[in-house]
Amino acid sequence: MSTLLFLLHLSLSSLILSQSLTLPSDIAALQAFKASIKPTTIPSYSCLASWNFTSDPCSFPKVTHFTCGLTCTTTSNPFRVTQLTLDPAGYSGTLSPLVSRLTQLVHLDLSGNNFFGPIPASLSSLPNLQSISLRSNSFSGPIPPSITNFRSLQSLDFAGNSLSGSLPDNLNSMMNLRRLDLSFNKLIGSLPKLPPNLLELAIKANSLSGSLYQSSFNGLTQLEVVELSQNSLSGTLESWFFLLPSLQQVDLANNSLTRVEISRPTDSELVAVELGFNKIEGYVPKNFSFYPMLSSLSLRYNRLRGPIPLEFGKKDKLRRLYLDGNFLNGTPPAVFFSGETAVSGSLGDNCLQSCPGSSELCLKSQKPTSICRQAYGGGKPRAS
């Protein structure tokens, strides 16, 4: 009886494929995609629960079957699947390599589920894909080097998985990529040469190491956002970095950077810089005060010493300043406490003199004198 039912189901499926409005290979790819997901993880209210292949996936109206999860183009004959976007219903399973047969796919979004296993290398054969999000799943293994074959891809989001290994060497061949997010994975190694048209780069909370080299960022004239916090980046952050012409937001907190070099800009769109919780030594870079749009700066919990540059007190745009947790000495700019500026943040846990406790900037107390003397070679801390 079971054999008879199977043959009946097979015959019915073949009949549907032969009479469908949708390209049969697209239907077969959708069937393989659903079959790779554990049935017990498909809730009755979910998009996938409505995928019943006794109906054509791209037919209209979608009353009971294929009510959500995919989009088709009906201007072609046969119809083609152009978008596969699942709801975050907790689906668990592997991603079928046969998804690569959806050759007109433009958007693929499986974010917020429990897919596991490797990312199929065959995905890179999708010629029209513009965005892919596998965010917040449990994919593991390396990033397939073949992803760099994507020629139309504009957005790639693999954040929040368990991907390991190093970044593909030829990322820069992804000429149309605008947004790259690989945060919260287990990636190692250094940054390769990056795609030339990137707007946003996010590889937060991994294990990247080494220095940031200018060769990785050459030609990135449109880069606006760099999010590389919570890694193991080290060495000197050189002056070329903050002179990237379109740079607006930088977060390199929680790394092991030891020095920052800042040059005066001729023009800059830089708005926010986060460099807290590194190992940065030397003086507070006064040239930050010459970035015309800079409104937020954090250098907290590093190893900085010397005075707070007076130029910071003359900067009208500055709204947030966090310099706490260093060994700064001398007297802070008086304008911070005169009511003439609206600067918030913290100057506490330093070696400053005359930081009024009545100001929120100074609520966190300064370091004990003994620690400050030790930091400055055993003598009385001197303004320098």
Side-chain angles (χ1 to χ4, degrees):
M1 180 64 71
S2 59
T3 303
L4 182 61
L5 289 174
F6 175 76
L7 291 174
L8 183 62
H9 174 75
L10 190 62
S11 299
L12 181 60
S13 296
S14 299
L15 181 63
I16 292 167
L17 287 173
S18 64
Q19 295 181 345
S20 64
L21 298 172
T22 306
L23 187 72
S25 61
D26 278 18
I27 297 177
L30 294 174
Q31 289 175 324
F33 173 78
K34 184 175 180 180
S36 67
I37 296 170
K38 298 176 182 178
T40 55
T41 66
I42 301 178
S44 59
Y45 56 81
S46 66
C47 286
L48 274 185
S50 73
W51 286 24
N52 187 321
F53 291 95
T54 60
S55 296
D56 187 288
C58 294
S59 63
F60 286 94
K62 297 179 179 294
V63 179
T64 57
H65 297 164
F66 296 98
T67 55
C68 56
L70 59 87
T71 304
C72 303
T73 175
T74 57
T75 56
S76 62
N77 186 15
F79 298 164
R80 301 300 307 274
V81 176
T82 57
Q83 183 168 321
L84 179 53
T85 304
L86 290 188
D87 46 336
Y91 306 119
S92 181
T94 58
L95 176 54
S96 171
L98 297 181
V99 170
S100 61
R101 294 184 180 178
L102 300 172
T103 55
Q104 292 301 307
L105 202 63
V106 177
H107 303 290
L108 175 62
D109 187 347
L110 309 180
S111 56
N113 284 289
N114 293 312
F115 284 88
F116 58 88
I119 297 172
S122 62
L123 288 182
S124 61
S125 63
L126 292 168
N128 299 297
L129 200 66
Q130 294 180 15
S131 70
I132 178 171
S133 178
L134 305 180
R135 187 182 187 90
S136 300
N137 279 281
S138 299
F139 288 104
S140 59
I143 298 172
S146 60
I147 68 159
T148 59
N149 295 334
F150 282 126
R151 289 295 177 259
S152 301
L153 199 68
Q154 298 175 21
S155 176
L156 188 155
D157 189 345
F158 290 169
N161 284 281
S162 296
L163 300 174
S164 58
S166 56
L167 298 172
D169 287 334
N170 54 337
L171 271 181
N172 62 310
S173 65
M174 304 176 76
M175 299 296 293
N176 289 304
L177 195 66
R178 310 290 276 171
R179 180 176 180 268
L180 175 64
D181 194 344
L182 302 173
S183 302
F184 298 100
N185 279 288
K186 301 175 181 179
L187 300 170
I188 62 172
S190 57
L191 285 180
K193 187 168 175 57
L194 296 165
N197 292 305
L198 271 186
L199 295 177
E200 299 179 23
L201 171 68
I203 316 181
K204 176 181 180 178
N206 280 274
S207 297
L208 299 182
S209 59
S211 299
L212 294 183
Y213 296 107
Q214 189 170 7
S215 58
S216 300
F217 292 81
N218 270 347
L220 271 67
T221 58
Q222 302 174 71
L223 186 63
E224 297 176 355
V225 178
V226 174
E227 168 59 276
L228 295 173
S229 62
Q230 299 179 51
N231 281 285
S232 299
L233 299 171
S234 59
T236 299
L237 188 59
E238 298 176 348
S239 58
W240 61 262
F241 180 80
F242 289 105
L243 297 178
L244 290 168
S246 298
L247 199 60
Q248 297 178 18
Q249 300 176 47
V250 173
D251 189 351
L252 288 165
N254 295 93
N255 278 285
S256 298
L257 299 171
T258 54
R259 190 169 186 83
V260 177
E261 296 176 354
I262 307 295
S263 298
R264 287 198 188 195
T266 53
D267 189 25
S268 174
E269 298 181 23
L270 193 65
V271 173
V273 174
E274 172 59 83
L275 289 169
F277 299 94
N278 277 278
K279 300 176 182 179
I280 300 171
E281 299 181 341
Y283 301 114
V284 177
K286 71 177 181 180
N287 282 340
F288 269 134
S289 65
F290 298 106
Y291 281 77
M293 304 301 293
L294 188 66
S295 65
S296 178
L297 174 64
S298 172
L299 288 160
R300 61 191 325 205
Y301 290 92
N302 280 284
R303 300 172 181 176
L304 298 169
R305 59 182 57 222
I308 298 172
L310 293 176
E311 288 85 353
F312 281 23
K314 303 173 184 177
K315 183 168 173 52
D316 295 336
K317 293 279 187 181
L318 193 62
R319 291 293 178 266
R320 298 174 72 251
L321 180 63
Y322 286 89
L323 297 175
D324 48 315
N326 286 283
F327 297 91
L328 303 179
N329 64 6
T331 302
V335 70
F336 285 168
F337 317 111
S338 66
E340 298 176 25
T341 65
V343 176
S344 63
S346 179
L347 306 178
D349 196 16
N350 277 292
C351 299
L352 296 169
Q353 293 86 48
S354 304
C355 197
S358 58
S359 169
E360 289 187 6
L361 287 170
C362 302
L363 287 181
K364 191 183 296 183
S365 61
Q366 300 296 308
K367 284 182 168 67
T369 303
S370 58
I371 293 177
C372 293
R373 284 176 176 169
Q374 185 177 7
Y376 283 86
K380 184 178 180 180
R382 296 176 290 105
S384 52

